[in-house]
Amino acid sequence: YFSGTNTLTGTSDIFDSAGKIGIGTTSPSSPLYVTNSSAVPTAVFDGGTSDYPTILRLFGVQPGGSTWDIESNGGTIGHGYFGIHKKSGAGSGDSIPFFISGDDRTGVGANIFTPASQFNVSGNAGIGADYVGTAAPTNGAIIEGTVGIGTTSPFAKLSVAGDAYLGGNLTATGT
């Protein structure tokens, strides 16, 4: 219990310094500062034995700002998962832009609760340092560099090792 001084009574590692709480430190620099000098996890959030997820909630302070939940469920509902859940401002709706299922399938994009492949993207994707600020086409991709299909050493923008099928027109320019 707190005795009114700057530490809890006994041999506690919890300290109060100018309204800031330190766990494992006597000089916290944030409202809650946790430090660890051992090989064990710094913090553990345990949801117990229920099927409800363990949630760490991060609130935005701006009007209409988003709240983010980092959640995990190892229970029987959905066979366990890890997700980052965006809870938007009033009337904006919620989404889960990042999800890892219990069978290690990853979904990126809005509301991919059951990724069918090892890695699924809902929406568009840009790959490469020069495309960080460039929007890819809707439900499409832009890729910087070379792409190899069936090869680990593509020698042109697109290199295909093996048979290819083109079901439409092919337009070529250049020499």
Side-chain angles (χ1 to χ4, degrees):
Y1 69 93
F2 190 67
S3 65
T5 63
N6 286 350
T7 63
L8 295 175
T9 59
T11 58
S12 175
D13 284 339
I14 302 174
F15 302 92
D16 178 355
S17 174
K20 298 175 182 169
I21 303 297
I23 300 175
T25 179
T26 58
S27 54
S29 58
S30 301
L32 174 62
Y33 191 103
V34 180
T35 188
N36 184 11
S37 59
S38 68
V40 299
T42 300
V44 174
F45 298 89
D46 187 347
T49 59
S50 73
D51 280 332
Y52 296 103
T54 299
I55 298 174
L56 173 62
R57 181 159 289 164
L58 308 170
F59 287 99
V61 296
Q62 299 297 322
S66 297
T67 298
W68 292 85
D69 288 348
I70 300 171
E71 58 186 68
S72 176
N73 182 339
T76 57
I77 297 175
H79 307 289
Y81 67 85
F82 170 84
I84 298 176
H85 184 169
K86 179 182 178 187
K87 301 177 76 57
S88 299
S92 299
D94 294 351
S95 68
I96 297 184
F98 183 78
F99 186 89
I100 300 175
S101 66
D103 58 355
D104 296 329
R105 296 176 187 271
T106 301
V108 176
N111 300 322
I112 300 181
F113 300 110
T114 54
S117 299
Q118 198 66 36
F119 184 73
N120 285 157
V121 175
S122 173
N124 55 355
I127 300 171
D130 288 340
Y131 291 144
V132 170
T134 304
T138 302
N139 291 321
I142 53 175
I143 300 169
E144 179 179 13
T146 57
V147 175
I149 299 175
T151 178
T152 58
S153 11
F155 57 89
K157 285 286 188 184
L158 174 62
S159 296
V160 179
D163 297 337
Y165 171 79
L166 180 64
N169 297 323
L170 175 63
T171 303
T173 60
T175 57

